[in-house]
Each structure stands twice: as C-alpha cells, then as structure tokens.
Amino acid sequence: MTFEDLFDIDDIEDNNDVRPGPWWRHTLWTVGVTAFGVGLGWAGASSSIGESEFGLPAVAPGPFGKYLVAWAVIGLLTAGVLRATAARVLVCIPGQIAAVLLLVGTRLSLGWRPELPVLAAMGAACVAVAALWSAFALRGAVKAARRRAERQRARDEDAARTAADGGGGAVRDEDAVGRP
C-alpha cells in the first residue's frame, strides 16, 4: 500500500454515498427539496429586516403566486438534474445546492418581480448551475473509474509476472512497506 492509497477518495464511492433506489424515492426527494428551497425563499421575502433601501426589498405588492409556481417548476428541474446524477455517481451536497439556488431565485423574484424574460433567464441559470455541478461529478467519476482500471491492470500484470516466474518473484518495494 502506498501513501497515495491511504488518502484515496475512490473508497468513498463504496460507502453507499451514491443514492440508488426506486423512482418514488427520487421523486419524493426532488419535491421535498423544491418545497424547502422555495418555501425558504418565500419566508425570507415575507419578513424584511431593516429598510428596503439598504438591502433586498420585501415582497413587492401584488399577487405573487405565479412567481412561486414558476420557481416550483424551476426547482423540480434543478433538483431533478442533481438527483438523477446522484443516483449514478457521487455528487457533493446535491440537496444543499438545489435548496440554495431556489432560495436565492425565489427571494430575488419576490422582491423585484422581474418580467417573464428575466425570470426565464434566472431559471435557466439555476438549471445550468445544477447541470454544471452534475457535470463536475460525472467527470470525477470517470476519472476515478480510469484510475481504478489502471490500478487493477497493474495488479493483474504483477500477478501474471509472479505466476510466470513460478511464484518466487521479487517483492516490489511498495508491497514491502510495513513488513519486517
């Protein structure tokens, strides 16, 4: 075992951090994270601390139901992208990422009431950040799989050499570490 093997992140993937499961569990998680993020954004917009001229204004006057519905749909897409990726590979904090994106988007929308094109751009940016986060996770999983395959290939070659030498081959230095 080498020093690098002691701190190998690939072992984390074997600890059931990937979230496989039935579709209803993924759906329930997606709906829950969406409701939590949009709810926090609405709660943050409903109560304003201090003067609105010094920060983000509270909920602008008028109906705000369409903004909540829009962010709920955006949230389902955002959380769905992250959960779909997390079902296959290890994704760092997918729930927190989705909740923060939805909280910020909902809070901004309720404070300033943007027009439809701006709201669509905000939603597209939210989904794009989730897709980018998922792409980084997928890239890391591909790299980890390549490293595991290279190490396995090296072990197989060593085993083949040892078998060809009759089993009495020389011990590699990294195999002898820690042995008397």
Side-chain angles (χ1 to χ4, degrees):
M1 177 176 274
T2 65
F3 179 75
E4 293 168 351
D5 291 338
L6 292 175
F7 299 101
D8 193 13
I9 294 179
D10 296 338
D11 296 336
I12 293 173
E13 293 180 16
D14 298 331
N15 293 337
N16 200 18
D17 287 334
V18 177
R19 297 163 176 88
W23 67 269
W24 63 266
R25 189 179 306 159
H26 299 302
T27 304
L28 186 63
W29 183 91
T30 301
V31 169
V33 167
T34 299
F36 181 72
V38 172
L40 279 180
W42 173 76
S46 295
S47 61
S48 179
I49 299 174
E51 299 289 328
S52 63
E53 61 199 38
F54 297 119
L56 204 57
V59 174
F64 57 86
K66 64 181 179 180
Y67 291 99
L68 290 179
V69 169
W71 278 101
V73 170
I74 293 166
L76 291 173
L77 290 171
T78 301
V81 166
L82 289 166
R83 185 61 179 205
T85 305
R88 299 290 179 205
V89 298
L90 179 66
V91 178
C92 294
I93 58 171
Q96 291 89 332
I97 294 296
V100 167
L101 289 171
L102 295 173
L103 176 136
V104 170
T106 304
R107 178 66 181 96
L108 289 172
S109 293
L110 292 178
W112 279 301
R113 304 287 171 97
E115 296 294 325
L116 184 60
V118 176
L119 184 64
M122 290 171 67
C126 185
V127 174
V129 168
L132 187 64
W133 194 263
S134 296
F136 283 133
L138 289 170
R139 182 175 180 251
V142 168
K143 282 181 148 180
R146 283 184 191 151
R147 278 187 265 140
R148 279 194 303 271
E150 288 172 7
R151 279 187 277 174
Q152 184 61 41
R153 192 173 330 131
R155 285 188 211 119
D156 291 345
E157 289 172 1
D158 287 345
R161 273 191 234 120
T162 304
D165 291 342
V171 176
R172 293 183 356 200
D173 288 338
E174 61 186 44
D175 290 339
V177 172
R179 292 185 189 167

